[in-house]
Amino acid sequence: MRIDVDRSRCEGLGMCEAMAHEFFEVGDDGFVVVLDEAPDEGQRAFIRAAIDSCPVSALSLRD
Ligand code: SF4
């Protein structure tokens, strides 16, 4: 499982960070940084919820 970011979509709104700060952080440049791009399978539901919270669909999960 990998987390992908489409930086051209990210607007730095921070919903993902609010939902899962262990995995997402809005950087000084206003774009999200993924802190762990290949998380454990056991984190899937938690990360899925954070990804689904992004209002501009900038995040996705890849198997
Ligand atoms: S919720 Fe979406 S737009 Fe906001 S920082 Fe995260 S990836 Fe970017």
Side-chain angles (χ1 to χ4, degrees):
M1 169 173 72
R2 290 190 63 86
I3 301 171
D4 286 333
V5 181
D6 182 346
R7 284 174 61 94
S8 69
R9 283 179 177 257
C10 178
E11 296 181 0
L13 302 170
M15 299 300 288
C16 54
E17 182 177 342
M19 295 281 288
H21 63 85
E22 300 90 338
F23 295 97
F24 304 102
E25 184 176 273
V26 178
D28 292 340
D29 63 357
F31 294 104
V32 70
V33 175
V34 178
L35 303 176
D36 180 358
E37 292 180 337
D40 290 346
E41 191 60 36
Q43 302 284 349
R44 180 179 287 268
F46 181 63
I47 292 167
R48 181 84 254 165
I51 285 175
D52 288 347
S53 78
C54 177
V56 294
S57 302
L59 302 171
S60 57
L61 264 189
R62 183 159 45 100
D63 286 315

